Amino acid sequence: MVSFGGLRDLFKAAHQLPPHVLIKKISSRLRRDFKSKNRYHRDLKLGSRGPLPKTSEFPSHTNYPAFQISEKTSRALDVLAKNYCDHRFDLLGSGLTDTNAEFSPVNSSNRFESKRIRSLISVNPYRPIDWHADFKSGYRWNSDSHSYDLKIPINQGADIKVPWELARLQHLPQLALAGVQYQDEIRAQVLDFIASNPPRFGVNWICPMDVGIRIANILLSVDLIQSAGQQWDKPFLAEVLRSAQEHSDHILAHLEWSELGRSNHYISNIIGILWANAYLPSSLKRNACLAFCAQQIETEARTQFLDDGGCYEGSSNYHRLSGSLLTYAQALLVKLYNETPECFANYPSNAISVRPPFSPPPITCPDIISILDKAANLSEALTPEDSLPVQIGDSDAGHLFKVEPDGYIFEGSFIEQPLNHQGFIDTVAALHGSVSKRLDAQLISQLVQNNTYPVASSSTTIPYYGDLKELCLDIRKLPEASRRQRVIKVPNLSPFDLKLFAYPQFGSYVFKAPDFFLHFRCAPTRKKEAPTGHFHDDDLSIELISPMCVIRDPGSYLYTPDVEVRNRYRSAEAHDTPRATSWDIAPPTASLFTLPQIGSSSSLTFQPNGVAGKIETVHGTLWRAVIFTDSRITILDGVSAPNTLREMPEPLTYCDNYGRQA
């Protein structure tokens, strides 16, 4: 049986906790395991579905007619809608794939109710979607097995992210925005999923993060069609609202919260609870859920984002994901606070059972706009002109919503480019009242309405520091085998024309000019509470885009299907960075989502004409200096003698999406 949360985080934090606190937490862990065991047996015997709601009233938080859809976006939505109606999906490098199948078997305790729900599907003929397969490898998880019994196969070629990605149902809001004529197809697919995936049965209930993203997308698609003036039938709305309650209850019982190491997963949990309860009927429990989410959003924003705006997970893509999640949460909470302030002032804090400390009423509306502004500024700095952003650490192209199609049409198919950060940048700007053609930014504008935030002054002085010339002299004094110099020609480059950006806590230093971009990675010692699962061994690495030379971080190809590939893409060998011949800084291990490092990095110099840093370890010290002069870049690497420098590796194949090599 899967034990959600596990004891790993508790053991990790044990040495930092007083004995009485540790005993309390172990006791709490045992109680949760006992509840999970009881829930498991109850699900198998009595079924896992909740009661149908007494009301089918469904509020709207969007305004379909207010969306301004450009001709380019409309064409993309039309192409996508045709494939979605044919149940053809291109996910995580699968290529456009037909997912039609027979109805999936359902366990005996839920079978009768699933059959009744399927009978509500009015599209005829309707081919069910296979929600339980990795359609890239052909591997399939048992749809009638309890999710506690299912495993994530490691190094077997099967990728659990494929069914999870499909079951996020992020295509449904795009289908709604493609036109109200797709209402029946949206209805059929929602009922198909609900019937084929009873709570806690099948692969799509293993990860609470995906559960949260899914319910937000179901509710948004239903809301969009309703706000367009189209009516939903009461039996369908009853199933949607019941599913919203089931999703919320499931996440609350399986929160991915821990004393240390909370991540984008936990923020996604909160988003799912928030979005579900924004549509559920009024109750004290609903009020408690909304207040809990409001409190946790602010807590996690301040915990997971550094003072310079960078996410502490050490990944540019997860930075974008967590920032986007928080942006949608802030916008929805602003709307709810203005329309139903009583929800946050009238609730019993014991109405829900949660592990994080939960305050009694009232709860004030979170204000994380300054954090989001800095996070969006970092995303903008990491994006070269006319190119995809830097891929620092893991990149799995995660989103909450995909309302705006990022990509292009090629030979009748839509080629997604999910690494784009522009949606996040524009949604944060929309919180300030900025007008955008992007649909995601327009959605934010509809949520906040006139309750926008004033634009704060963004002028900051970059403190230059360090003696670059002296450091270069020291590196050049090292023995020949302990140093290396590379010179890259860059026509028309002038150090005086470069725009500089520094994010020292996140570890990014950026130099930009027309047709030129250089990123230098030098992250300081990680916060002790930060998870290491999405870091790469990339300190002192560079990313360069120039007319005569391109050096790009290859991103991440796969996670669990292939351990060797997973470790290769997160190792130092995947990055343009100096390393010693005989020792590593952060060698990947069999643990696919931890990456401890033996050294500590520090920035030595940041000047208009260059940047430098070092990594200190018990084995020795590594240095890299990047120097800008007219029409060239010089890269100096060094390692303390008698150590020698490792040869620079051949670059890995660039991945422009998880599971997709360019």
Side-chain angles (χ1 to χ4, degrees):
M1 182 188 301
V2 172
S3 180
F4 286 91
L7 292 172
R8 182 189 62 195
D9 294 323
L10 189 55
F11 289 141
K12 181 180 177 182
H15 68 283
Q16 304 175 30
L17 301 172
H20 70 282
V21 175
L22 181 60
I23 292 171
K24 181 180 179 181
K25 292 185 180 299
I26 291 175
S27 175
S28 176
R29 175 71 260 174
L30 293 174
R31 284 197 301 272
R32 291 196 303 276
D33 285 347
F34 178 75
K35 288 182 179 179
S36 293
K37 186 175 182 180
N38 284 343
R39 187 181 299 114
Y40 172 81
H41 290 295
R42 185 175 65 249
D43 290 346
L44 291 174
K45 184 178 181 180
L46 303 176
S48 58
R49 299 190 189 277
L52 285 166
K54 296 179 181 179
T55 176
S56 58
E57 183 179 350
F58 191 88
S60 278
H61 298 299
T62 65
N63 183 3
Y64 193 111
F67 281 102
Q68 302 296 314
I69 304 178
S70 69
E71 184 179 346
K72 178 183 177 182
T73 298
S74 181
R75 289 199 303 271
L77 288 172
D78 286 344
V79 171
L80 288 167
K82 182 179 184 303
N83 286 322
Y84 295 158
C85 288
D86 291 339
H87 302 173
R88 290 160 55 84
F89 300 92
D90 182 1
L91 299 173
L92 307 181
S94 68
L96 204 57
T97 304
D98 188 324
T99 63
N100 285 310
E102 299 301 320
F103 279 118
S104 301
V106 177
N107 73 295
S108 58
S109 65
N110 286 300
R111 193 168 297 151
F112 178 82
E113 187 65 358
S114 288
K115 183 177 180 180
R116 185 192 65 79
I117 295 169
R118 285 171 179 161
S119 70
L120 297 176
I121 297 175
S122 57
V123 173
N124 189 20
Y126 177 80
R127 289 286 307 279
I129 294 172
D130 190 347
W131 303 104
H132 305 274
D134 167 15
F135 47 78
K136 290 171 63 177
S137 68
Y139 185 96
R140 195 174 187 282
W141 286 262
N142 291 333
S143 59
D144 55 355
S145 293
H146 200 284
S147 62
Y148 291 9
D149 292 330
L150 296 175
K151 305 296 182 184
I152 299 175
I154 305 296
N155 214 29
Q156 298 180 32
D159 195 344
I160 200 168
K161 283 180 65 63
V162 175
W164 284 357
E165 190 79 7
L166 176 60
R168 288 180 174 187
L169 301 180
Q170 290 171 316
H171 63 280
L172 292 183
Q174 289 185 333
L175 195 55
L177 287 165
V180 296
Q181 67 268 29
Y182 298 111
Q183 178 178 2
D184 288 345
E185 180 63 27
I186 292 170
R187 182 182 183 279
Q189 289 193 25
V190 170
L191 291 171
D192 180 7
F193 183 87
I194 292 174
S196 302
N197 295 269
R200 289 175 299 284
F201 281 88
V203 67
N204 295 311
W205 291 89
I206 292 177
C207 180
M209 172 185 186
D210 294 281
V211 175
I213 292 174
R214 172 169 64 245
I215 192 57
N217 278 273
I218 290 175
L219 293 167
L220 177 59
S221 62
V222 173
D223 189 341
L224 286 168
I225 294 296
Q226 178 169 288
S227 70
Q230 302 296 110
Q231 297 297 313
W232 293 105
D233 58 285
K234 290 184 178 181
F236 173 69
L237 288 179
E239 295 301 334
V240 169
L241 290 170
R242 173 165 70 169
S243 188
Q245 188 67 68
E246 290 168 345
H247 279 69
S248 177
D249 289 345
H250 178 85
I251 301 168
L252 282 167
H254 304 95
L255 284 173
E256 294 172 277
W257 184 89
S258 62
E259 284 74 15
L260 299 176
R262 300 191 298 276
S263 69
N264 63 90
H265 277 242
Y266 182 58
I267 299 177
S268 300
N269 296 170
I270 300 304
I271 290 292
I273 297 168
L274 173 63
W275 217 269
N277 284 275
Y279 289 88
L280 287 173
S282 178
S283 69
L284 291 178
K285 179 180 178 181
R286 172 183 182 263
N287 292 359
C289 286
L290 294 176
F292 172 70
C293 291
Q295 176 183 281
Q296 291 300 300
I297 285 299
E298 182 148 5
T299 298
E300 294 312 304
R302 301 192 185 284
T303 298
Q304 297 193 32
F305 280 79
L306 307 165
D307 289 342
D308 61 7
C311 177
Y312 77 166
E313 290 196 68
S315 158
S316 55
N317 192 72
Y318 284 92
H319 164 88
R320 187 273 312 274
L321 171 60
S322 291
S324 180
L325 290 165
L326 291 172
T327 303
Y328 279 107
Q330 180 71 59
L332 182 55
L333 282 167
V334 166
K335 185 177 194 298
L336 294 172
Y337 264 93
N338 280 280
E339 293 181 352
T340 55
E342 66 277 5
C343 293
F344 304 91
N346 179 27
Y347 64 88
S349 53
N350 62 354
I352 55 176
S353 176
V354 290
R355 292 172 62 196
F358 182 26
S359 303
I363 292 287
T364 58
C365 186
D367 183 359
I368 58 173
I369 189 65
S370 62
I371 297 172
L372 295 174
D373 284 341
K374 288 186 284 187
N377 289 340
L378 172 54
S379 279
E380 194 161 17
L382 294 178
T383 305
E385 182 180 307
D386 299 325
S387 185
L388 293 175
V390 175
Q391 296 189 78
I392 303 167
D394 280 346
S395 293
D396 78 343
H399 294 264
L400 173 61
F401 300 124
K402 294 183 179 180
V403 287
E404 176 70 29
D406 279 317
Y408 56 93
I409 298 173
F410 178 72
E411 294 183 350
S413 296
F414 184 79
I415 309 301
E416 187 182 17
Q417 290 183 312
L419 298 178
N420 190 350
H421 284 216
Q422 196 59 51
F424 170 50
I425 295 167
D426 284 4
T427 52
V428 173
L431 290 174
H432 294 292
S434 177
V435 177
S436 173
K437 293 181 180 179
R438 289 188 60 96
L439 298 179
D440 36 25
Q442 293 182 50
L443 176 56
I444 292 289
S445 297
Q446 291 182 15
L447 292 173
V448 297
Q449 298 175 352
N450 296 321
N451 303 296
T452 56
Y453 293 87
V455 178
S457 174
S458 59
S459 59
T460 56
T461 302
I462 299 175
Y464 301 130
Y465 54 87
D467 190 330
L468 187 60
K469 183 177 180 180
E470 186 68 26
L471 177 62
C472 291
L473 288 174
D474 290 341
I475 294 176
R476 288 190 169 103
K477 291 177 184 177
L478 292 168
E480 185 176 352
S482 300
R483 57 181 164 84
R484 175 174 52 233
Q485 175 175 304
R486 288 183 290 165
V487 177
I488 300 172
K489 294 181 179 179
V490 184
N492 304 317
L493 174 68
S494 171
F496 302 104
D497 295 334
L498 295 172
K499 292 183 179 179
L500 278 61
F501 306 87
Y503 300 88
Q505 291 180 314
F506 184 70
S508 283
Y509 300 84
V510 178
F511 300 79
K512 285 185 176 183
D515 299 320
F516 178 83
F517 176 92
L518 186 135
H519 174 267
F520 182 74
R521 175 76 170 151
C522 188
T525 302
R526 303 163 186 168
K527 293 177 69 174
K528 64 180 181 180
E529 64 268 30
T532 64
H534 294 306
F535 276 88
H536 285 188
D537 188 359
D538 58 2
D539 269 333
L540 305 188
S541 66
I542 63 167
E543 180 146 347
L544 171 67
I545 299 177
S546 67
M548 299 183 68
C549 182
V550 174
I551 300 170
R552 299 225 67 170
D553 185 302
S556 299
Y557 182 40
L558 297 169
Y559 288 166
T560 58
D562 191 318
V563 171
E564 191 275 330
V565 168
R566 164 65 171 153
N567 285 337
R568 189 192 316 158
Y569 269 84
R570 63 181 180 146
S571 72
E573 302 303 309
H575 305 89
D576 189 302
T577 188
R579 290 294 182 264
T581 301
S582 56
W583 41 270
D584 289 297
I585 301 299
T589 66
S591 179
L592 298 186
F593 293 100
T594 58
L595 193 68
Q597 60 183 32
I598 65 167
S600 60
S601 306
S602 56
S603 175
L604 299 176
T605 301
F606 181 64
Q607 300 281 355
N609 67 328
V611 63
K614 68 176 180 180
I615 306 175
E616 291 183 294
T617 77
V618 295
H619 305 293
T621 302
L622 287 157
W623 296 273
R624 169 167 279 185
V626 181
I627 308 101
F628 302 105
T629 52
D630 288 343
S631 300
R632 70 176 186 176
I633 302 171
T634 301
I635 303 170
L636 279 178
D637 296 336
V639 62
S640 56
N643 296 288
T644 59
L645 280 176
R646 193 180 302 176
E647 292 291 327
M648 294 300 297
E650 290 294 319
L652 297 183
T653 303
Y654 180 78
C655 298
D656 61 357
N657 189 5
Y658 177 94
R660 190 172 77 185
Q661 293 178 316

